[in-house]
PDB file of all heavy atoms in Angstrom:
ATOM      1  N   ASP A 185      56.703  66.294  16.573  1.00 87.00           N
ATOM      2  CA  ASP A 185      57.345  65.199  17.336  1.00 87.00           C
ATOM      3  C   ASP A 185      56.556  64.631  18.432  1.00 87.00           C
ATOM      4  O   ASP A 185      57.112  64.107  19.477  1.00 87.00           O
ATOM      5  CB  ASP A 185      58.755  65.616  17.858  1.00 87.00           C
ATOM      6  CG  ASP A 185      59.795  65.820  16.733  1.00 87.00           C
ATOM      7  OD1 ASP A 185      59.629  65.092  15.737  1.00 87.00           O
ATOM      8  OD2 ASP A 185      60.702  66.671  16.908  1.00 87.00           O
ATOM      9  N   ASP A 186      55.201  64.678  18.388  1.00 81.00           N
ATOM     10  CA  ASP A 186      54.366  64.065  19.377  1.00 81.00           C
ATOM     11  C   ASP A 186      54.649  62.607  19.361  1.00 81.00           C
ATOM     12  O   ASP A 186      54.999  61.953  18.346  1.00 81.00           O
ATOM     13  CB  ASP A 186      52.833  64.364  19.075  1.00 81.00           C
ATOM     14  CG  ASP A 186      52.476  65.647  19.488  1.00 81.00           C
ATOM     15  OD1 ASP A 186      53.258  66.415  20.033  1.00 81.00           O
ATOM     16  OD2 ASP A 186      51.296  66.055  19.158  1.00 81.00           O
ATOM     17  N   GLU A 187      54.386  61.958  20.538  1.00 83.00           N
ATOM     18  CA  GLU A 187      54.458  60.522  20.642  1.00 83.00           C
ATOM     19  C   GLU A 187      53.458  59.841  19.906  1.00 83.00           C
ATOM     20  O   GLU A 187      52.248  60.071  20.088  1.00 83.00           O
ATOM     21  CB  GLU A 187      54.362  60.146  22.117  1.00 83.00           C
ATOM     22  CG  GLU A 187      54.657  58.674  22.391  1.00 83.00           C
ATOM     23  CD  GLU A 187      54.723  58.325  23.851  1.00 83.00           C
ATOM     24  OE1 GLU A 187      55.198  59.216  24.663  1.00 83.00           O
ATOM     25  OE2 GLU A 187      54.347  57.276  24.195  1.00 83.00           O
ATOM     26  N   ALA A 188      53.794  58.978  19.017  1.00 88.00           N
ATOM     27  CA  ALA A 188      52.905  58.192  18.137  1.00 88.00           C
ATOM     28  C   ALA A 188      52.643  56.861  18.754  1.00 88.00           C
ATOM     29  O   ALA A 188      53.582  56.200  19.289  1.00 88.00           O
ATOM     30  CB  ALA A 188      53.417  58.127  16.713  1.00 88.00           C
ATOM     31  N   GLY A 189      51.432  56.409  18.547  1.00 91.00           N
ATOM     32  CA  GLY A 189      51.109  54.933  18.890  1.00 91.00           C
ATOM     33  C   GLY A 189      51.321  54.085  17.789  1.00 91.00           C
ATOM     34  O   GLY A 189      51.616  54.450  16.592  1.00 91.00           O
ATOM     35  N   PRO A 190      51.049  52.793  17.929  1.00 94.00           N
ATOM     36  CA  PRO A 190      51.257  51.823  16.830  1.00 94.00           C
ATOM     37  C   PRO A 190      50.245  52.007  15.622  1.00 94.00           C
ATOM     38  O   PRO A 190      50.582  51.668  14.552  1.00 94.00           O
ATOM     39  CB  PRO A 190      50.910  50.412  17.534  1.00 94.00           C
ATOM     40  CG  PRO A 190      50.226  50.767  18.773  1.00 94.00           C
ATOM     41  CD  PRO A 190      50.624  52.101  19.240  1.00 94.00           C
ATOM     42  N   ALA A 191      49.111  52.647  15.998  1.00 95.00           N
ATOM     43  CA  ALA A 191      48.150  52.933  14.904  1.00 95.00           C
ATOM     44  C   ALA A 191      48.295  54.271  14.137  1.00 95.00           C
ATOM     45  O   ALA A 191      47.702  54.567  13.262  1.00 95.00           O
ATOM     46  CB  ALA A 191      46.716  52.815  15.392  1.00 95.00           C
ATOM     47  N   ASP A 192      49.404  54.997  14.602  1.00 95.00           N
ATOM     48  CA  ASP A 192      49.730  56.297  14.043  1.00 95.00           C
ATOM     49  C   ASP A 192      50.851  56.109  13.061  1.00 95.00           C
ATOM     50  O   ASP A 192      51.957  55.501  13.469  1.00 95.00           O
ATOM     51  CB  ASP A 192      50.086  57.239  15.072  1.00 95.00           C
ATOM     52  CG  ASP A 192      49.019  57.701  16.078  1.00 95.00           C
ATOM     53  OD1 ASP A 192      47.947  57.692  15.618  1.00 95.00           O
ATOM     54  OD2 ASP A 192      49.408  57.772  17.203  1.00 95.00           O
ATOM     55  N   LEU A 193      50.681  56.644  11.866  1.00 94.00           N
ATOM     56  CA  LEU A 193      51.885  56.665  10.917  1.00 94.00           C
ATOM     57  C   LEU A 193      52.711  57.859  11.195  1.00 94.00           C
ATOM     58  O   LEU A 193      53.978  57.882  11.253  1.00 94.00           O
ATOM     59  CB  LEU A 193      51.358  56.652   9.483  1.00 94.00           C
ATOM     60  CG  LEU A 193      52.423  56.706   8.394  1.00 94.00           C
ATOM     61  CD1 LEU A 193      53.269  55.455   8.441  1.00 94.00           C
ATOM     62  CD2 LEU A 193      51.701  56.832   6.971  1.00 94.00           C
ATOM     63  N   MET A 194      52.015  59.001  11.393  1.00 93.00           N
ATOM     64  CA  MET A 194      52.709  60.299  11.622  1.00 93.00           C
ATOM     65  C   MET A 194      51.770  61.231  12.445  1.00 93.00           C
ATOM     66  O   MET A 194      50.592  61.161  12.260  1.00 93.00           O
ATOM     67  CB  MET A 194      52.993  60.881  10.175  1.00 93.00           C
ATOM     68  CG  MET A 194      53.791  62.161  10.218  1.00 93.00           C
ATOM     69  SD  MET A 194      53.855  62.839   8.531  1.00 93.00           S
ATOM     70  CE  MET A 194      54.729  61.529   7.743  1.00 93.00           C
ATOM     71  N   MET A 195      52.466  62.115  13.193  1.00 94.00           N
ATOM     72  CA  MET A 195      51.746  63.116  13.888  1.00 94.00           C
ATOM     73  C   MET A 195      52.010  64.425  13.193  1.00 94.00           C
ATOM     74  O   MET A 195      53.150  64.768  12.929  1.00 94.00           O
ATOM     75  CB  MET A 195      52.164  63.150  15.381  1.00 94.00           C
ATOM     76  CG  MET A 195      52.153  61.802  16.055  1.00 94.00           C
ATOM     77  SD  MET A 195      50.585  61.002  16.107  1.00 94.00           S
ATOM     78  CE  MET A 195      49.792  62.016  17.301  1.00 94.00           C
ATOM     79  N   VAL A 196      50.940  65.226  12.990  1.00 94.00           N
ATOM     80  CA  VAL A 196      51.137  66.561  12.364  1.00 94.00           C
ATOM     81  C   VAL A 196      50.238  67.541  13.019  1.00 94.00           C
ATOM     82  O   VAL A 196      49.356  67.178  13.834  1.00 94.00           O
ATOM     83  CB  VAL A 196      50.652  66.374  10.861  1.00 94.00           C
ATOM     84  CG1 VAL A 196      51.597  65.443  10.095  1.00 94.00           C
ATOM     85  CG2 VAL A 196      49.273  66.069  10.691  1.00 94.00           C
ATOM     86  N   THR A 197      50.388  68.743  12.599  1.00 92.00           N
ATOM     87  CA  THR A 197      49.455  69.816  12.953  1.00 92.00           C
ATOM     88  C   THR A 197      48.866  70.309  11.712  1.00 92.00           C
ATOM     89  O   THR A 197      49.516  70.391  10.679  1.00 92.00           O
ATOM     90  CB  THR A 197      50.113  71.013  13.667  1.00 92.00           C
ATOM     91  OG1 THR A 197      51.086  71.578  12.887  1.00 92.00           O
ATOM     92  CG2 THR A 197      50.609  70.628  15.019  1.00 92.00           C
ATOM     93  N   VAL A 198      47.629  70.664  11.742  1.00 92.00           N
ATOM     94  CA  VAL A 198      46.834  71.255  10.675  1.00 92.00           C
ATOM     95  C   VAL A 198      46.241  72.538  11.229  1.00 92.00           C
ATOM     96  O   VAL A 198      45.373  72.454  12.088  1.00 92.00           O
ATOM     97  CB  VAL A 198      45.742  70.349  10.153  1.00 92.00           C
ATOM     98  CG1 VAL A 198      44.950  70.950   9.056  1.00 92.00           C
ATOM     99  CG2 VAL A 198      46.415  69.022   9.553  1.00 92.00           C
TER     100      VAL A 198
END
Side-chain angles (χ1 to χ4, degrees):
D185 288 332
D186 281 359
E187 187 173 325
D192 297 321
L193 181 64
M194 182 184 302
M195 308 303 285
V196 299
T197 59
V198 175

